[in-house]
Amino acid sequence: MSVRIDIAGLRPERVAVVPSPLAELGMALHALSEPGHHPGLQGWVTGVTARLDPHLADRMCEADFLWRTTFSDLFMPFAGVPGGGTLPGATLAEDLELLDKLSDEQFVDAALEFTCALPYSTQGASALEDAEARRRALDLAAARGPQQLRFSERLLADPPRIRDWLRQFAQDCDEAFFAEAWSRLRHQLAADARHKTDLLRRKGLAEALAAVSPAVTLDEDAARITVDKLGDGRSATGEGGLLLVPTSLGWPHLMVLHRHEWQPVLHYPVGSPELASPPSVEQLTLRMTALSHPVRMRICRHLARSAYTTSELAQAHGMTAPEISRHLGVLKKAGLITTRRRGRYVLHQLDVTVVARLGSDFLEGILR
């Protein structure tokens, strides 16, 4: 499971690292709606929520499906502008002007992403033009509640009206809390962008991507970027470029915009508490599968207390040495135990640090 970006023919000058005020506002709204995803932002979320105008708080709930799940691609409109080379604006106002450059079809499809499960990486029917896609969108919106249904009906009936609503909402959020936050965050994001740009120039794309996240790798021979995520997707830079957009509010989310015919974007967290080498999805699966077996759980109970030989474990569990060896092999492959030799004895012990991280590793993996 991963998201792959085909970069065949991508010229170095078409790779850019640029912060986006609108993308950061989208992440701020997500953090306010889902504070459990962002424990490190608890103080900021509490402070903003306490002083939020009740009317704005109500409007924030009106279309929260655009940013609660993760956040809509509408917060990165620069990626949808034809040509594949548009950069984010330097100000929120400039980013909102780019939102106006999206066609009604692009705007509606992006807004309905979390409502009607339209095809994302491939071309699909537009709910604006196709009656069946429209019916499906409204049926699925109704299943998510009357509020989402009302918003979807308004969106399909009058896209310009919803554009105006979103623009005014963003401006009101900016006045209420985001301008203050952005005045602090933009310096950190600009510094990170300079650092990644310097890496691109001096050491190349592979080094810059490695600095973005250990979950992002470049296969130069295949001209492909792979992002290790619990999900599948494909995109290509084609004749356009690749954007790296940093966020100070995003951890643990590492997002990939790979919408059909939009410019690929890596939206990555900076200044995050993530581990230097978080496990891949495959490693995480191996570890959780290894611990799901009751015999291996009992073996771990012993190995958490002290180091044991295979023979000692076999005697303690009433099993043969080969049976114990097979279970130890599974635990070792998953990276859950360490092995050391003492004379003619081989001792096994549980790596308590790795096991203790499983909860945070799992959360990081599914939210990445």
Side-chain angles (χ1 to χ4, degrees):
M1 290 180 287
S2 59
V3 178
R4 296 178 175 85
I5 303 173
D6 182 350
I7 60 169
L10 177 66
R11 302 194 304 273
E13 65 270 17
R14 298 303 299 270
V15 182
V17 190
V18 189
S20 163
L22 185 56
E24 197 71 345
L25 172 58
M27 189 51 69
L29 290 168
H30 169 64
L32 290 169
S33 299
E34 287 286 2
H37 287 194
H38 305 273
L41 299 176
Q42 187 175 36
W44 179 80
V45 167
T46 301
V48 170
T49 304
R51 65 176 188 269
L52 203 60
D53 175 76
H55 179 59
L56 182 58
D58 289 342
R59 291 163 62 204
M60 198 175 288
C61 296
E62 189 174 344
D64 67 348
F65 60 90
L66 292 177
W67 49 78
R68 181 181 289 274
T69 304
T70 52
F71 70 91
S72 170
D73 291 343
L74 291 177
F75 289 96
M76 293 193 281
F78 42 84
V81 176
T86 301
L87 299 179
T91 65
L92 183 62
E94 291 178 7
D95 263 352
L96 290 172
E97 287 177 6
L98 294 176
L99 190 65
D100 294 336
K101 294 183 181 295
L102 299 181
S103 67
D104 282 349
E105 183 176 291
Q106 285 180 302
F107 183 87
V108 169
D109 285 355
L112 289 176
E113 177 187 347
F114 305 123
T115 296
C116 60
L118 288 167
Y120 188 82
S121 295
T122 58
Q123 182 68 52
S126 168
L128 274 182
E129 305 292 338
D130 185 274
E132 177 58 25
R134 183 188 188 94
R135 182 197 62 77
R136 174 175 168 77
L138 294 176
D139 283 349
L140 291 174
R144 289 164 172 79
Q147 184 168 288
Q148 195 156 333
L149 175 61
R150 285 194 298 270
F151 188 91
S152 299
E153 288 174 335
R154 290 164 52 206
L155 173 68
L156 289 167
D158 192 356
R161 180 186 174 193
I162 298 301
R163 285 182 193 262
D164 292 341
W165 179 92
L166 185 58
R167 172 185 280 275
Q168 188 60 56
F169 175 71
Q171 291 170 343
D172 291 345
C173 287
D174 188 49
E175 183 179 343
F177 64 87
F178 183 67
E180 179 185 351
W182 181 249
S183 68
R184 294 182 290 102
L185 300 176
R186 64 187 178 90
H187 300 294
Q188 181 189 28
L189 297 179
D192 183 82
R194 288 193 297 271
H195 172 63
K196 299 294 192 301
T197 301
D198 186 53
L199 280 176
L200 276 169
R201 291 172 178 167
R202 292 190 299 105
K203 297 189 176 181
L205 182 58
E207 289 285 339
L209 293 176
V212 163
S213 170
V216 183
T217 56
L218 171 65
D219 184 334
E220 296 192 48
D221 293 334
R224 183 176 62 232
I225 295 170
T226 300
V227 186
D228 186 51
K229 289 176 69 70
L230 272 168
D232 292 304
R234 293 182 179 276
S235 185
T237 52
E239 296 298 318
L242 173 69
L243 278 177
L244 310 181
V245 177
T247 168
S248 290
L249 303 175
W251 188 86
H253 307 301
L254 170 64
M255 301 183 195
V256 189
L257 191 159
H258 53 98
R259 181 177 293 277
H260 180 67
E261 294 187 344
W262 286 43
Q263 183 178 191
V265 180
L266 286 175
H267 192 215
Y268 65 94
V270 302
S272 67
E274 68 179 322
L275 302 171
S277 298
S280 66
V281 171
E282 182 181 4
Q283 288 174 317
L284 185 60
T285 303
L286 277 174
R287 288 174 182 175
M288 299 189 76
T289 301
L291 292 174
S292 68
H293 196 288
V295 171
R296 289 195 283 273
M297 288 181 68
R298 290 197 296 272
I299 290 174
C300 285
R301 186 172 186 273
H302 273 82
L303 298 182
R305 289 163 169 76
S306 183
Y308 288 88
T309 66
T310 302
S311 297
E312 288 172 330
L313 290 170
Q315 185 176 2
H317 291 273
M319 301 171 67
T320 65
E323 288 175 324
I324 291 293
S325 291
R326 283 194 291 272
H327 285 299
L328 290 174
V330 173
L331 293 169
K332 187 172 183 179
K333 184 178 180 181
L336 295 170
I337 63 173
T338 59
T339 300
R340 69 179 189 274
R341 181 174 291 277
R342 180 179 294 168
R344 63 190 182 91
Y345 297 104
V346 175
L347 298 170
H348 312 282
Q349 191 160 16
L350 190 70
D351 191 329
V352 177
T353 302
V354 171
V355 177
R357 284 205 312 252
L358 268 178
S360 58
D361 285 345
F362 175 71
L363 187 62
E364 190 271 344
I366 61 174
L367 294 179
R368 184 187 298 162

